[in-house]
């Protein structure tokens, strides 16, 4: 059995090739990618309406910051983690304690961050 069988994930990533790679990793871990969206407006709508267990949020979406999506998810008590090349220093203070995947990352790193995110 895969470690995260049945976990429903919202993926917010603006780079198509990176999104496909992350989707493949998630599927290998047993997750179901409910939606994969590249832009802030789509991400806000999905975060507000979809039933998901976890969200993975790229911090920079074509020049727009993903934090309004994180606010929606936080208000709905949906666990999320950030995916970024900027590191923790690129996060506002109110998100500084959130799990961060540093790009590029391996499937093992993704698995560890998902486990950490779902535990908190």
């Amino acid at each position: 059995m895969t470690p995260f069988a049945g976990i429903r994930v919202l993926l917010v990533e603006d780079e198509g090739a990176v999104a496909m790679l992350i989707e493949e990793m998630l599927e290998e871990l047993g997750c179901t990618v409910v939606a994969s969206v590249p832009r802030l407006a789509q991400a806000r709508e999905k975060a507000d309406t979809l039933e998901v267990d976890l969200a993975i949020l790229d911090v920079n979406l074509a020049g727009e910051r993903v934090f309004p999506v994180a606010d929606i998810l936080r208000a709905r008590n949906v666990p999320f983690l950030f995916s970024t090349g900027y590191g923790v220093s690129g996060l506002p203070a109110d998100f500084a304690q959130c799990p961060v995947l540093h790009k590029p990352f391996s499937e093992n790193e993704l698995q560890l961050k998902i486990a950490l995110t779902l535990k908190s």
Side-chain angles (χ1 to χ4, degrees), residues 105-117:
F105 53 84
S106 67
E107 186 173 316
N108 189 49
E109 290 168 310
L110 177 62
Q111 181 175 346
L112 291 172
K113 289 294 180 174
I114 289 173
L116 174 70
T117 303

Side-chain angles (χ1 to χ4, degrees), residues 1-2 9-10 18 27 29 32 36 38 40 43 55 62 72 77 79 81-82 86 90 101 112-113 119-120:
M1 179 165 236
T2 53
V9 180
L10 167 62
V18 174
E27 288 168 5
L29 295 172
T32 300
S36 181
L40 183 62
I72 292 167
N77 294 313
L81 61 94
F82 293 108
Y86 299 112
L101 263 169
L112 291 172
K113 289 294 180 174
K119 274 173 70 173
S120 25

Side-chain angles (χ1 to χ4, degrees), residues 1 3 22 29-30 32 37 43 51-53 59 70 74 84 88 90 92 95 112 119-120:
M1 179 165 236
I22 297 171
L29 295 172
T32 300
V37 295
E51 291 299 320
V52 295
D53 303 304
V59 170
R74 184 181 273 171
T84 181
V88 177
F95 292 113
L112 291 172
K119 274 173 70 173
S120 25

